[in-house]
Amino acid sequence: MNITSFLIYCFIVTFTPGPTNIVILSTAHNFGTKKAMEYAYGATIAFGLLLGISAMLNTVLIAVIPKILIVMQIIGSFYMLYLAYQIYKMDVSETAEIQTATFVSGFLMQFVNPKVVLFTMTVIPSFVMPYYTAPPALAVFAAGITIIGFCAFVTWVLFGVMFKEFLKKYQKTVNIVMALFLVYSAILASGVIELIKR
């Protein structure tokens, strides 16, 4: 398992701006740290739940259809390339609407956030399941990814306006670097490097 590309993928997807992170940033700026943390707790629990569902679903799929892992790796790699493109062209100056900054809204947001849903459904089969399929190992990885996600949410709470201003100031550079890291992760997750080595 290439732990470096796995961690790069997890950090890029969870730390870069997306619907949840932008709402957390806006909540911290407009309503304070306490309200933003309440939202982040709900988002974290839902994120972990989605990772658990993904691990169980993919375990069942692999048992029933062994070739599904290759398909999921390809889908995951294409999704990473799509995210790289989205990050490259992203404009963080657009403000996110805040519905309500509550635990429940943070929880529910994860189930309608395409970035989170697609990430949770591709990270386990793309990076973990080619090497580990035992339920305890999958649980450890799901917990680790959830912790990374929580750290990302807390980062957006703590840095609030400062992080937003930094992204505005160096937006294009940050986006290009993050997009290149995602392309690198997509290549490693697809197994192309392994095929070339053979």
Side-chain angles (χ1 to χ4, degrees), residues 84 87-88 170-182:
I87 288 170
Y88 173 76
Y170 300 105
Q171 175 184 353
K172 199 61 183 173
T173 304
V174 170
N175 289 353
I176 289 170
V177 169
M178 293 297 163
L180 289 173
F181 275 133
L182 271 178

Side-chain angles (χ1 to χ4, degrees), residues 36-186:
M37 285 303 298
E38 182 182 339
Y39 187 91
Y41 292 140
T44 301
I45 289 172
F47 185 62
L49 182 61
L50 282 166
L51 285 164
I53 291 168
S54 170
M56 287 186 294
L57 178 65
N58 284 298
T59 300
V60 170
L61 285 174
I62 286 174
V64 176
I65 313 166
K67 299 282 184 193
I68 196 75
L69 183 58
I70 295 165
V71 174
M72 290 304 290
Q73 282 179 279
I74 292 167
I75 291 170
S77 296
F78 276 112
Y79 174 63
M80 285 182 246
L81 292 173
Y82 167 76
L83 274 181
Y85 174 71
Q86 292 300 316
I87 288 170
Y88 173 76
K89 71 179 194 104
M90 173 176 31
D91 180 10
V92 294
S93 63
E94 297 171 5
T95 57
E97 279 186 37
I98 298 176
Q99 301 299 329
T100 52
T102 65
F103 177 90
V104 173
S105 63
F107 183 88
L108 294 177
M109 171 71 147
Q110 303 316 295
F111 292 93
V112 297
N113 181 346
K115 179 182 175 186
V116 169
V117 172
L118 288 171
F119 170 73
T120 58
M121 294 307 288
T122 58
V123 67
I124 301 280
S126 294
F127 287 98
V128 180
M129 294 186 89
Y131 307 97
Y132 305 99
T133 55
L138 295 176
V140 167
F141 277 100
I145 298 166
T146 302
I147 291 168
I148 292 170
F150 178 69
C151 290
F153 298 151
V154 171
T155 297
W156 282 85
V157 171
L158 294 177
F159 289 108
V161 175
M162 292 186 320
F163 195 51
K164 186 177 180 180
E165 293 304 315
F166 173 81
L167 284 175
K168 281 183 184 177
K169 187 174 180 181
Y170 300 105
Q171 175 184 353
K172 199 61 183 173
T173 304
V174 170
N175 289 353
I176 289 170
V177 169
M178 293 297 163
L180 289 173
F181 275 133
L182 271 178
V183 169
Y184 168 76
S185 294

